[in-house]
Amino acid sequence: MLSDKLKEGTEVLLDNKTKDSEHYYKSVVIVEEGSLIGLAPVTDEDGDFVDFSDGETSISVIGTNDVFEDVKILPVDFHGKRIYLTYGKKEEATRNYHREFRRFPVNEACKVNDYDAKLFDVSEQGFAVILDRQYKPGLWLELNWKGIKLFGKIMQAKDLDNGNWFYGCKIDEIPNNYTKQVKMMQIDFEYLVNSPVGGTEEKEKKK
């Protein structure tokens, strides 16, 4: 499984293949959140941010023979500072994480303590956010997202070295509307993971 190999600080090579070209980009893991991985941004030869929206992308772990084909890479943009959210298509193995429940990527705007933030992922009993404010582990954050308000205790804090911080939080009291929204995210996640990278149309062109 992808998350078994990619830990914070792991250097990787991103191989992006389109119908007309193939490009390689070097990146590094800056956040490891269970089965979800945050990668440092990369730019092309013109200095433009690469969004990996075209073709197929594989991830190779530098210094090993580990290669993960057909990987989805989702840009996360907060206040002009960008990273990537990625996860493998293969079924994840049973592991013990800080959060016991499976996470689902969100990548949507939210409010945290009345500040603008980016909701990174959700699970049945937790969430992760990116915020341009620094807090210590153990403190509580108020999340306001899609009309849902709840409190999460910071269990993990990570400086992303771009003016933003990543926080993994555990929820104390879970409202019903949050549980319902997480189930909807699960459906969206399963569709994303099982759909072809680059879309069906691109696949047909390559045949």
Side-chain angles (χ1 to χ4, degrees), residues 4-5 13 15-16 18 55 91 112 138 146 163 166 171-172 201:
D4 291 330
K5 300 292 183 178
L13 198 64
D15 179 5
N16 179 237
T18 66
E91 188 66 24
V112 172
K146 292 184 179 294
F166 172 93
I171 301 171
D172 185 21
E201 182 179 350

Side-chain angles (χ1 to χ4, degrees), residues 5-12 27-32 38-39 158:
K5 300 292 183 178
L6 300 190
K7 305 300 180 185
E8 291 183 15
T10 301
E11 293 186 330
V12 297
S27 185
V28 63
V29 177
I30 53 178
V31 171
E32 190 258 330
L39 296 174
K158 171 71 176 177

Side-chain angles (χ1 to χ4, degrees), residues 108-126:
E108 293 182 3
C110 65
K111 290 282 189 179
V112 172
N113 293 358
D114 289 329
Y115 295 110
D116 291 335
K118 177 75 75 168
L119 186 57
F120 187 81
D121 70 47
V122 295
S123 72
E124 291 181 35
Q125 292 193 351

Side-chain angles (χ1 to χ4, degrees), residues 65-191:
N65 294 321
D66 297 321
V67 179
F68 296 88
E69 302 286 351
D70 198 18
V71 176
K72 310 250 182 211
I73 295 182
L74 181 67
V76 178
D77 191 330
F78 180 62
H79 285 183
K81 306 295 179 62
R82 292 164 166 173
I83 65 172
Y84 300 112
L85 167 63
T86 186
Y87 40 92
K89 289 186 66 174
K90 298 178 183 178
E91 188 66 24
E92 64 187 77
T94 301
R95 300 176 61 201
N96 292 320
Y97 301 127
H98 293 298
R99 258 195 270 152
E100 299 175 1
F101 297 89
R102 192 177 181 188
R103 299 159 174 80
F104 304 105
V106 180
N107 193 21
E108 293 182 3
C110 65
K111 290 282 189 179
V112 172
N113 293 358
D114 289 329
Y115 295 110
D116 291 335
K118 177 75 75 168
L119 186 57
F120 187 81
D121 70 47
V122 295
S123 72
E124 291 181 35
Q125 292 193 351
F127 62 86
V129 292
I130 294 173
L131 185 65
D132 60 355
R133 306 273 169 169
Q134 186 174 10
Y135 296 99
K136 294 181 179 180
L139 295 178
W140 290 84
L141 299 180
E142 181 186 39
L143 173 67
N144 190 334
W145 169 60
K146 292 184 179 294
I148 303 168
K149 288 187 178 182
L150 51 81
F151 290 90
K153 184 178 182 180
I154 299 175
M155 308 301 291
Q156 178 188 6
K158 171 71 176 177
D159 186 351
L160 297 180
D161 295 326
N162 62 4
N164 296 318
W165 282 264
F166 172 93
Y167 300 104
C169 301
K170 182 178 180 180
I171 301 171
D172 185 21
E173 297 182 5
I174 306 170
N176 291 334
N177 56 352
Y178 177 80
T179 300
K180 181 179 179 180
Q181 190 64 45
V182 170
K183 289 181 179 179
M184 292 175 62
M185 288 293 172
Q186 178 179 0
I187 294 172
D188 291 342
F189 176 85
E190 297 297 342
Y191 174 79

Side-chain angles (χ1 to χ4, degrees), residues 21-33:
S21 63
E22 180 174 4
H23 295 278
Y24 295 90
Y25 306 95
K26 185 177 179 181
S27 185
V28 63
V29 177
I30 53 178
V31 171
E32 190 258 330
E33 250 279 282

